[in-house]
Amino acid sequence: MDTGLLRGRDPSAGDDGRRLVDLVAGEQVLVSTRPRSSLRSPERLVGVDCPLGPPGGRQVRGIGTVRQRALITDHEVVQGSAFVKVVPAPYSSRQSWSHYLARPGVIETVGRADAHELDAALAAARRAPSTLDLGTIAERVTDEVQSATRGGSREPFRAARVRLRWVARMTGEDDTLSEVRFDAVDDRLRVLRFIVPGGTPPGPVAAVCEDVALHDWLLTTLIANVRKAAIGLETRAETLRRLLPAIDHLLHVWMPAARADDLTERMWIALERHAGFTRQWNTLVNRIRDQLSVGVAEALSAATRT
């Protein structure tokens, strides 16, 4: 997952937004207006044939196609998403591409691969350049959407893009989501690992992770914006000036688990318990509102003295 601020001045409004994520000719863009505005592109397949990178020196090759799609949320945030289901190959050698194209969104492993080692390798923060990199595939589609925006630049607001790498291991031992682990590796990379029931379709799992990536980016960006506002160090007017981009572009987008399906709700219950996304968000929002309240009070006091 690759998440960032959408370029341009309201570039995703109406038909123009559908144009930005219309990545596959003849396929329909998914448009939603409730409970939030969102656009999702049709899925596009990307062929891969590369090492998967498990530890221990064994060479495990992955061959197949990755699902790639783009999303725009509330005309503000763009996301590139790439995901795949990894399964053991039924053959010991590489097949023709027609075999892999008949199984869209599936990578088959050629070589002996331990499921736990492969899980750890795919979730590893640092990977060899030659191994499968879904983050780069996701980033490409984000760049494609960004390059298609038009209508002039918006007011200055810099926000770094953030990548979420997620791995969901499927098991038949439980009938619910379990063992959720979220790690902030550095300023630009997050890793999310969890277990889902066997047979869970990859698409809904990816949608849950897209929701997590969206809100992690919002929180990360708001933290940076509040820090740059230098509350208590700059004048009130300057602090409020620096906070205005967050008020205009971020605060209204926060809506965890807007999909309201069981898998999404269980994911957010686990994340709120351990990572405290909403607690930290609410603390920052209250701090911004306090600055606004004090600024208004100071302006009214000054007006009454004149």
Side-chain angles (χ1 to χ4, degrees):
M1 286 295 309
D2 181 65
T3 306
L5 184 72
L6 186 65
R7 294 175 186 164
R9 186 177 298 278
D10 197 19
S12 71
D15 293 337
D16 194 43
R18 287 191 284 273
R19 175 189 63 82
L20 294 179
V21 296
D22 188 13
L23 303 181
V24 182
E27 296 290 333
Q28 187 174 7
V29 172
L30 181 62
V31 180
S32 177
T33 57
R34 299 288 187 275
R36 73 183 329 151
S37 170
S38 65
L39 300 165
R40 191 176 76 191
S41 75
E43 292 176 356
R44 185 167 58 187
L45 298 179
V46 178
V48 296
D49 182 351
C50 58
L52 298 183
R58 290 191 300 275
Q59 290 297 318
V60 178
R61 185 178 176 188
I63 311 170
T65 56
V66 174
R67 296 184 186 273
Q68 181 193 58
R69 63 192 186 195
L71 305 92
I72 295 175
T73 303
D74 280 340
H75 315 305
E76 300 287 358
V77 185
V78 59
Q79 294 180 281
S81 179
F83 58 96
V84 69
K85 184 176 182 179
V86 180
V87 300
Y91 310 98
S92 58
S93 60
R94 190 191 191 284
Q95 304 299 298
S96 65
W97 267 113
S98 60
H99 168 80
Y100 303 106
L101 291 174
R103 306 185 71 186
V106 173
I107 285 180
E108 295 182 353
T109 60
V110 178
R112 187 168 63 89
D114 177 83
H116 292 278
E117 289 185 349
L118 190 57
D119 175 38
L122 293 173
R126 301 291 178 260
R127 296 174 53 76
S130 61
T131 58
L132 177 68
D133 188 354
L134 295 179
T136 297
I137 297 175
E139 186 176 342
R140 287 175 191 158
V141 74
T142 308
D143 291 339
E144 187 173 341
V145 173
Q146 295 282 41
S147 65
T149 58
R150 60 193 181 194
S153 60
R154 63 174 78 198
E155 58 270 27
F157 182 30
R158 296 185 179 276
R161 279 154 65 165
V162 177
R163 182 177 292 186
L164 173 72
R165 179 175 298 153
W166 62 270
V167 177
R169 184 158 51 91
M170 293 187 177
T171 176
E173 299 172 358
D174 200 354
D175 61 352
T176 188
L177 180 80
S178 60
E179 298 189 25
V180 177
R181 178 178 175 180
F182 178 88
D183 295 309
V185 177
D186 54 37
D187 291 342
R188 300 291 302 276
L189 177 63
R190 314 288 188 253
V191 176
L192 176 64
R193 300 174 66 179
F194 53 97
I195 295 175
V196 293
T200 306
V205 178
V208 173
C209 296
E210 289 159 358
D211 191 46
V212 174
L214 168 66
H215 289 86
D216 172 71
W217 178 84
L218 288 170
L219 180 57
T220 301
T221 306
L222 188 63
I223 291 171
N225 190 252
V226 170
R227 184 181 301 119
K228 291 175 182 177
I231 296 173
L233 300 176
E234 291 287 349
T235 64
R236 189 81 58 197
E238 176 61 19
T239 292
L240 291 175
R241 188 191 67 79
R242 296 183 184 186
L243 289 173
L244 283 178
I247 297 170
D248 291 342
H249 301 294
L250 300 181
L251 300 192
H252 66 284
V253 186
W254 186 265
M255 195 184 298
R259 288 168 46 85
D261 61 87
D262 183 68
L263 188 62
T264 305
E265 289 180 351
R266 288 181 179 274
M267 173 65 78
W268 276 104
I269 288 171
L271 288 174
E272 297 290 19
R273 182 184 304 122
H274 298 294
F277 278 68
T278 299
R279 293 195 300 274
Q280 189 171 12
W281 175 267
N282 287 340
T283 298
L284 292 167
V285 170
N286 288 336
R287 196 174 187 196
I288 291 172
R289 288 174 177 164
D290 288 344
Q291 291 298 307
L292 286 171
S293 297
V294 173
V296 170
E298 290 176 346
L300 289 173
S301 177
T304 58
R305 291 196 301 267
T306 59

